Amino acid sequence: MKQFLGVDIGGTNVKFGVVDSDGNIIKKKKYPTKEVSEGGDFCGNFSKLLAKRLAKYPNVASVGIGIPGTISADGQSTLDLPNVPSLSRQPLVKILKRDFPSLPIAMDNDANAAALGELHFGLDVVPKTYIFITLGTGVGGGCVINGRVFKGGDGNGLEIGHIISSTGKTIEQNIGKAGIIEMATKYIDEGKLSTSLVKGEFDAKAVATAAHEGDKVALQVFHDMGKYVGELIVSCVRILDIKSILIGGGVSETFDYLKGNMYNVINSFLPEYYTKDLDIQLATLGNNAGILGAASIGIDQISLD
């Protein structure tokens, strides 16, 4: 069975995973991003770590890399990576292809990678065309059309977290982790809803936990979040005319609290042409989405070479 290497580069850790054709992760290894960035030579340090992985798994057929930011139109270099500044504007793929000339290597935005991962390795059968929305620290998106990731004109399409919402802020500003904390703090200050949350002493995860316990402020936050997710879906569906949507990221455990209001917005702003076939599902790869998605990038590269 073929093996593929997926690398998920994040602000905290760089995660390597060897994946087989069935989506089983054979081995995972992570390194602190700060460590990989030492000496200002992220690319050089990364290449050495990759060499170690390949020495242990010489049958790896391709390498796919997911990054938290934008890439050049040719897919060879990074552009802006706010959470990994040491890797911004670096010719990472070009360097790796020089060091490993016979190995297919490809890089893409991590949301695109997660979208593609559902196609190759998702636990449920997905259509060949769908929109992928990831809700976590921020809001990201990807789109697969006829089995291929849609990248836009210069490689960085579907940055949907930056769509402007009805509040005048971006969707990400509203419902990223910072936005969730801001909403909860506002309701605590108003003092109209009972809550166990203490101002200045909670994070977004605590809001989710409180919602499970029936906390009124937390539930109101997710009700509001449903509105903004609904607005995001309306915009995406209107632009792309795609009616299958997968939602991933940390939202899965709280989706039931926001989906009612989400559908209220969708049904208010989309006509029957869209809503009659609209299918919104949760993504299935969970915590493995980064590695499996990255591996999928490498798999697609083989088919393109």
Side-chain angles (χ1 to χ4, degrees), residues 8-15 30-37 42 68 82-85 137 177:
D8 179 24
I9 297 178
T12 303
N13 292 301
V14 177
K15 301 175 185 177
K30 68 179 180 180
Y31 302 89
T33 305
K34 186 177 180 180
E35 179 182 307
V36 186
S37 302
F42 189 105
N83 294 324
V84 193
T137 301
K177 287 185 177 180

Side-chain angles (χ1 to χ4, degrees), residues 109 111-112 131-135 138-143 150 156-165 169-173 175 228-229 231-237 239-240 245-248:
N109 172 270
N112 283 345
I131 297 167
F132 183 89
I133 298 171
T134 177
L135 305 175
V139 178
C143 180
F150 170 75
N156 294 293
L158 269 293
E159 287 285 347
I160 59 177
H162 300 282
I163 290 175
I164 304 300
S165 75
K169 297 179 179 180
T170 66
I171 295 292
E172 181 168 286
Q173 287 173 323
I175 61 175
Y228 305 126
V229 175
E231 291 178 351
L232 177 59
I233 289 172
V234 167
S235 295
C236 290
V237 170
I239 292 168
L240 294 167
I245 298 170
L246 295 178
I247 299 179

Side-chain angles (χ1 to χ4, degrees), residues 137-148:
T137 301
V139 178
C143 180
V144 174
I145 299 177
N146 294 326
R148 294 290 184 189

Side-chain angles (χ1 to χ4, degrees), residues 46-85:
F46 183 91
S47 183
K48 292 174 184 176
L49 294 175
L50 178 56
K52 289 182 180 180
R53 296 291 92 203
L54 294 174
K56 291 188 176 183
Y57 297 91
N59 295 322
V60 162
S62 66
V63 176
I65 304 167
I67 65 159
T70 50
I71 63 172
S72 60
D74 63 5
Q76 301 295 295
S77 304
T78 62
L79 295 178
D80 295 319
L81 278 69
N83 294 324
V84 193

Side-chain angles (χ1 to χ4, degrees), residues 186-216:
K186 181 192 74 170
Y187 285 120
I188 292 170
D189 286 343
E190 289 178 355
K192 297 178 182 178
L193 300 172
S194 60
T195 184
S196 62
L197 298 169
V198 178
K199 183 178 177 180
E201 298 181 11
F202 64 90
D203 57 14
K205 188 173 182 179
V207 180
T209 300
H212 293 319
E213 297 169 352
D215 186 278
K216 298 299 184 183

